[in-house]
Amino acid sequence: MNLTLKVWRQKNINDKGQFVTYQAKDIADDMSFLEMLDVVNEDITRKGEDPIYFDHDCREGICGMCSLVINGRPHGPKYGITTCQLHMRSFHDGQTIVIEPWRAAAFPVLKDLAVDRTSFDRIQQAGGYVNINTGGVPDANTIPIPKRVADEAFESATCIGCGACVAACKNASAMLFVSAKISQFALLPQGQTERYERAQAMVDQMDAEGFGNCTNTGACEAECPKGIKLTNIARMNREYFTAKFFRQEDIHA
């Protein structure tokens, strides 16, 4: 198939940026979206021009690197997949495809389609960890945990931190990401020691990074490639507000 691409090009974080039109020719249906961009970049490079800059790593849907808004939707038109899992059979010959980066003040554009997501790292560093010795795997296996709880914690832990939830939200809220990272610890015995301190620290850091508030529209859950549920946000709010009833010394006790 032959396609018309309107791609966001931006030299650096201070550049204004603009859309540039490219032609993608003889694209096979079984190519992934990123492979299609590779083909376009080869053609651009042969012309002596600067290729389109975009993030990628595993190309298996688990690294969370790919950050493309395709025709107005994070990761493209399919549900429950990342950009690298999107194939060109989802498009048709002659179609125009608009490609742009995540749009959020907390995700500044570094170049073209790549954004700076270190704000997520700083939120994780604020409290997304267990600071006690939990032993090895055999030790963990001796702690009885109901299957429903274990499954829910695992589902929260599947968040890959891609930022699609932020890109989908009209307020650029990171609450789905933060709530998933809080939930994966709050549900398990190993995460109880720092439970309330964790919620306060991570939510405070999220606010400091400039993310917006939850809109309650559910756009984040709809566009999440791992199907993280909105119920995590409710749990995060409970954890955060419950923590307000404790003194700081009680939290550390």
Side-chain angles (χ1 to χ4, degrees), residues 21-203:
T21 301
Y22 298 96
Q23 299 301 317
K25 300 179 179 179
D26 299 323
I27 302 301
D29 290 353
D30 58 355
M31 280 185 181
S32 74
F33 198 86
L34 297 187
E35 287 173 331
M36 179 274 295
L37 287 179
D38 288 338
V39 171
V40 173
N41 270 344
E42 288 174 1
D43 185 52
I44 294 174
T45 303
R46 280 193 292 268
K47 295 177 181 178
E49 301 174 5
D50 190 24
I52 301 165
Y53 194 92
F54 61 94
D55 279 331
H56 63 91
D57 190 6
C58 73
R59 300 206 177 197
E60 294 179 349
I62 57 175
C63 73
M65 286 292 289
C66 46
S67 55
L68 307 184
V69 175
I70 302 167
N71 285 345
R73 290 188 59 184
H75 295 310
K78 297 292 184 179
Y79 287 98
I81 62 172
T82 58
T83 305
C84 62
Q85 295 173 307
L86 178 66
H87 289 81
M88 298 312 297
R89 54 180 169 267
S90 300
F91 304 91
H92 59 79
D93 185 41
Q95 185 172 355
T96 297
I97 304 175
V98 180
I99 311 170
E100 54 189 315
W102 292 165
R103 300 292 191 182
F107 287 165
V109 176
L110 295 175
K111 183 176 180 181
D112 295 343
L113 303 174
V115 300
D116 182 358
R117 281 172 286 194
T118 54
S119 53
F120 271 11
D121 296 334
R122 289 188 289 271
I123 293 172
Q124 278 283 84
Q125 291 162 3
Y129 52 83
V130 173
N131 205 26
I132 60 173
N133 183 6
T134 59
V137 173
D139 302 304
N141 287 338
T142 63
I143 303 174
I145 300 173
K147 186 178 187 305
R148 181 189 62 81
V149 176
D151 287 346
E152 194 169 352
F154 178 80
E155 289 168 3
S156 298
T158 60
C159 170
I160 58 177
C162 65
C165 51
V166 176
C169 180
K170 60 184 179 182
N171 281 354
S173 172
M175 293 185 76
L176 192 68
F177 163 77
V178 178
S179 65
K181 298 305 179 183
I182 288 175
S183 291
Q184 73 180 75
F185 294 112
L187 287 163
L188 299 177
Q190 294 88 341
Q192 299 308 304
T193 302
E194 299 150 320
R195 180 175 181 177
Y196 298 123
E197 180 183 10
R198 176 183 300 111
Q200 287 195 76
M202 295 184 74
V203 171

Side-chain angles (χ1 to χ4, degrees), residues 195-217:
R195 180 175 181 177
Y196 298 123
E197 180 183 10
R198 176 183 300 111
Q200 287 195 76
M202 295 184 74
V203 171
D204 289 348
Q205 186 63 42
M206 173 184 69
D207 292 340
E209 295 293 342
F211 291 104
N213 291 321
C214 178
T215 62
N216 293 314
T217 61

